[in-house]
Amino acid sequence: MYTFPMRLFCRNRLRHFVLSSLAVALVFVLGSCSFAQPEGAAAGRPADYPDTSMKNATYVLGQPERRPLKISGETIDIYQKAKVAYLHNITFEQQNDDGSMVLRGSADDAKIDMDTHDVEISGHVLLDKVDEGMTIRCESLVWIDSLQRIETVGDDLVTVSYGDGNSLTGRGFTGQLDEALYEFAEIEKGYVLP
């Protein structure tokens, strides 16, 4: 039977323990969570990097003869191949032919389909239909350009305030802005003054 000195055995075990501990610590350091937001394709974008990226810029949506919507963003990222633009921290406005304000608003984010001119707006959406004295508040809204219509996404709540104290909150909201026709699929609460 072979015996080896206890000192060598302890030293090897200690070395093995230290190396194992360092390996585990390295795995935790390299694999630790990051609080940074995912970017590019990891965030659901068409590619890792946009073809064009602008800061504090304005995107003009629509044709001049149809009263275009001007959307200003803190950042605008354009992906040419996918024909989509992403805007962050936005404000938007539309003016009448005489230059008077028709609508204005703000939101956290917007995604524009550059072919159809449809827009998905999300995050603290506020839309003031200035010419009608109406305010719409919701978490997400879609502009369908071919129909000139706005509508909510999914089952989100929408609050519409108008006139002198009238307010309705509901789900399944659609609005034809040019015709001033607005509908709810379901009204949760509200009050309309006579």
Side-chain angles (χ1 to χ4, degrees), residues 15-29:
R15 183 180 300 143
H16 178 71
F17 175 76
V18 168
L19 289 175
S20 296
S21 297
L22 285 174
V24 168
L26 186 60
V27 167
F28 278 119
V29 168

Side-chain angles (χ1 to χ4, degrees), residues 45-46 49-54 58-59 75-87 112 114:
R45 301 267 177 112
Y49 301 102
D51 298 302
T52 305
S53 186
M54 298 172 279
T58 300
Y59 189 102
T75 59
I76 300 177
D77 293 331
I78 298 175
Y79 296 84
Q80 290 292 346
K81 190 173 182 181
K83 296 192 177 188
V84 66
Y86 291 87
L87 294 82
I112 300 173
M114 294 164 51

Side-chain angles (χ1 to χ4, degrees), residues 12-76:
N12 284 340
R13 275 201 112 175
L14 181 62
R15 183 180 300 143
H16 178 71
F17 175 76
V18 168
L19 289 175
S20 296
S21 297
L22 285 174
V24 168
L26 186 60
V27 167
F28 278 119
V29 168
L30 293 177
S32 66
C33 295
S34 171
F35 293 105
Q37 293 290 328
E39 295 182 17
R45 301 267 177 112
D48 285 334
Y49 301 102
D51 298 302
T52 305
S53 186
M54 298 172 279
K55 296 210 180 279
N56 301 317
T58 300
Y59 189 102
V60 178
L61 181 71
Q63 304 301 320
E65 66 275 3
R66 291 181 75 183
R67 298 182 308 187
L69 187 65
K70 295 176 183 173
I71 307 172
S72 297
E74 185 178 294
T75 59
I76 300 177

Side-chain angles (χ1 to χ4, degrees), residues 68-194:
L69 187 65
K70 295 176 183 173
I71 307 172
S72 297
E74 185 178 294
T75 59
I76 300 177
D77 293 331
I78 298 175
Y79 296 84
Q80 290 292 346
K81 190 173 182 181
K83 296 192 177 188
V84 66
Y86 291 87
L87 294 82
H88 179 66
N89 199 15
I90 67 165
T91 59
F92 52 91
E93 66 178 41
Q94 184 181 45
Q95 296 178 349
N96 222 334
D97 296 332
D98 63 3
S100 61
M101 189 70 64
V102 175
L103 68 86
R104 66 177 165 232
S106 62
D108 293 341
D109 297 294
K111 177 182 174 184
I112 300 173
D113 183 314
M114 294 164 51
D115 276 340
T116 65
H117 302 289
D118 293 348
V119 183
E120 298 172 20
I121 304 171
S122 60
H124 305 97
V125 178
L126 173 66
L127 187 147
D128 286 324
K129 189 77 167 76
V130 178
D131 59 342
E132 296 174 18
M134 182 177 66
T135 301
I136 300 169
R137 288 182 172 83
C138 58
E139 276 305 307
S140 58
L141 198 63
V142 175
W143 164 255
I144 302 170
D145 191 63
S146 62
L147 303 174
Q148 295 289 294
R149 182 173 75 201
I150 57 173
E151 59 185 43
T152 55
V153 178
D155 212 19
D156 287 350
L157 280 174
V158 178
T159 299
V160 177
S161 305
Y162 61 96
D164 293 328
N166 300 313
S167 179
L168 295 170
T169 299
R171 300 178 194 281
F173 177 80
T174 60
Q176 294 293 140
L177 296 180
D178 286 347
E179 299 173 20
L181 177 63
Y182 308 99
E183 297 177 336
F184 283 96
E186 176 185 333
I187 295 178
E188 297 278 322
K189 63 181 179 178
Y191 47 90
V192 179
L193 301 175

